[in-house]
Amino acid sequence: MNGKRKVIESYLRRLRLALGTLPVEERQEICRELESHLDERAGESDTALQSCLAELGEPETYARAFHDDYELSVALASGSTARLFAQSLRLAGRSIWAAAGFLFFLSLFAISGGLMAVAMIKPFFPQQVGLWLPTSGGFIFGFVDTTSIAGVQEIMGWWFIPVALVSGFVLWILASRLLEKFVASLRKPRDDG
Amino acid sequence: MNLDVWKAQLRKGAAELAVLALLESRESYGLAILRVLIDQRGLAISEGTIYPLLNRLRREGKIDSRWVEDEGASHPRKYYFLTDEGRWLLAAMKTVWGDLSSNLNALIAGENHER
């Protein structure tokens, strides 16, 4: 029993360390509950504790499930776009779905930020910022090289500023809402098959 | 579609329903829940996943817990029970599951019948 006790204590010590970023109270609860579980399993038979520890895996790996869920719930509760975005980046390395989502939101925020940025530099470069519809087709939008718009009339004038600002802002809000839904969808129980 | 991926997705939702359903009639602790559910081979519930799952359900407000000193146990056990929200949610999940499985079973049975 003494040997088992040592094994349990060493596992719990490593787990406690691995759970480092969780609030103290939560860390203690998790360890105390697992200690109770391990003790009970150790009392069953000589091999029960070994097979239990094998199922749990390394404490560092086991801790990750608690850690992930905690980080996600904090980000979701805060409603902070930056935190949610950071979570999708963190999980992007773990699954293709999270990585695809991260890239999608990265482009949405980039477009939205870009819209608001060009709106704000329009007063300083009125000739180079705007919307052009060349006769050759398509459109040229944003902050451009004047040679590419030679002979073409800008069509928005000063309306460019409110239109770009509002659409950038609306896109930002939409992307933030969507990001929240996406991060919530990442919050799934770990599946070890 | 990869069968393993499909199975994993199916199990995730089912594991949550199984735990909530188990706690409906009476409160229980991790190892006891595990002993019942580990035999359900279809579910992805194992020693490594039970506590993270319980922890998530508790954080989401579906279950709550209390420490109990059971007679004959060397350590206090953490008992989980359904919250009002969990109870409400379980009822809704049961309906969804019942409809889905009976419709699917009928569909699958019908297909076999035609062959």
Side-chain angles (χ1 to χ4, degrees):
Chain A
M1 194 63 204
N2 220 347
K4 286 181 185 173
R5 190 66 229 157
K6 266 190 186 152
V7 171
I8 291 174
E9 268 166 19
S10 126
Y11 191 92
L12 290 171
R13 197 163 41 239
R14 282 173 64 194
L15 181 64
R16 207 168 286 123
L17 267 174
L19 290 171
T21 52
L22 262 66
V24 181
E25 223 170 87
E26 208 154 322
R27 216 184 320 165
Q28 280 172 348
E29 278 278 302
I30 292 168
C31 291
R32 196 175 159 209
E33 184 175 30
L34 193 68
E35 183 177 10
S36 174
H37 179 101
L38 292 174
D39 268 334
E40 201 160 337
R41 290 286 268 134
E44 284 173 7
S45 73
D46 282 344
T47 53
L49 181 63
Q50 284 313 315
S51 80
C52 172
L53 291 175
E55 278 272 335
L56 291 180
E58 296 296 310
E60 293 74 20
T61 319
Y62 184 59
R64 218 159 69 175
F66 294 101
H67 192 252
D68 283 354
D69 187 60
Y70 174 73
E71 298 270 320
L72 283 177
S73 73
V74 168
L76 283 169
S78 75
S80 146
T81 301
R83 281 190 173 181
L84 291 168
F85 195 56
Q87 285 308 306
S88 70
L89 170 60
R90 200 172 59 81
L91 295 172
R94 311 261 181 86
S95 80
I96 293 172
W97 169 239
F102 171 73
L103 288 176
F104 174 72
F105 286 105
L106 184 66
S107 15
L108 276 193
F109 285 119
I111 293 169
S112 145
L115 278 170
M116 293 191 274
V118 287
M120 283 187 278
I121 57 170
K122 169 82 173 165
F124 306 103
F125 304 92
Q127 304 308 317
Q128 286 104 304
V129 176
L131 174 66
W132 294 267
L133 299 173
T135 44
S136 53
F139 66 92
I140 302 172
F141 179 89
F143 185 70
V144 299
D145 170 19
T146 44
T147 57
S148 67
I149 49 167
V152 190
Q153 192 65 35
E154 202 280 328
I155 61 163
M156 284 174 86
W158 292 111
W159 277 105
F160 182 87
I161 296 178
V163 169
L165 264 186
V166 168
S167 50
F169 184 70
V170 168
L171 186 60
W172 187 278
I173 298 293
L174 284 178
S176 309
R177 294 266 168 85
L178 212 57
L179 175 64
E180 197 170 331
K181 292 233 159 65
F182 174 70
V183 172
S185 83
L186 294 176
R187 189 184 200 191
K188 290 280 164 60
R190 182 173 297 268
D191 180 82
D192 63 0
Chain B
M1 190 185 204
N2 188 327
L3 185 64
D4 288 336
V5 174
W6 182 74
K7 249 161 63 182
Q9 285 169 340
L10 205 61
R11 285 162 158 184
K12 281 176 182 172
E16 181 170 333
L17 175 56
V19 169
L20 294 179
L22 194 77
L23 293 175
E24 190 181 21
S25 52
R26 61 171 194 285
E27 58 176 8
S28 187
Y29 64 102
L31 188 54
I33 297 172
L34 184 68
R35 281 185 184 131
V36 176
L37 297 184
I38 208 161
D39 292 331
Q40 313 282 317
R41 291 304 306 160
L43 299 171
I45 293 179
S46 68
E47 221 146 9
T49 57
I50 185 73
Y51 292 112
L53 173 61
L54 288 168
N55 197 53
R56 181 175 63 88
L57 293 175
R58 185 191 50 75
R59 207 197 294 282
E60 289 171 349
K62 296 166 186 167
I63 58 178
D64 206 349
S65 63
R66 67 189 186 100
W67 287 94
V68 177
E69 303 240 7
D70 279 339
E71 260 179 64
S74 60
H75 275 74
R77 290 164 173 162
K78 194 174 180 181
Y79 273 77
Y80 292 90
F81 52 91
L82 291 183
T83 60
D84 288 344
E85 193 193 334
R87 211 166 278 283
W88 178 86
L89 203 85
L90 173 62
M93 285 168 84
K94 276 182 175 176
T95 311
V96 173
W97 180 266
D99 288 349
L100 186 72
S101 58
S102 63
N103 287 342
L104 270 180
N105 284 339
L107 194 71
I108 294 169
E111 262 186 18
N112 287 340
H113 214 67
E114 280 168 26
R115 270 179 208 162

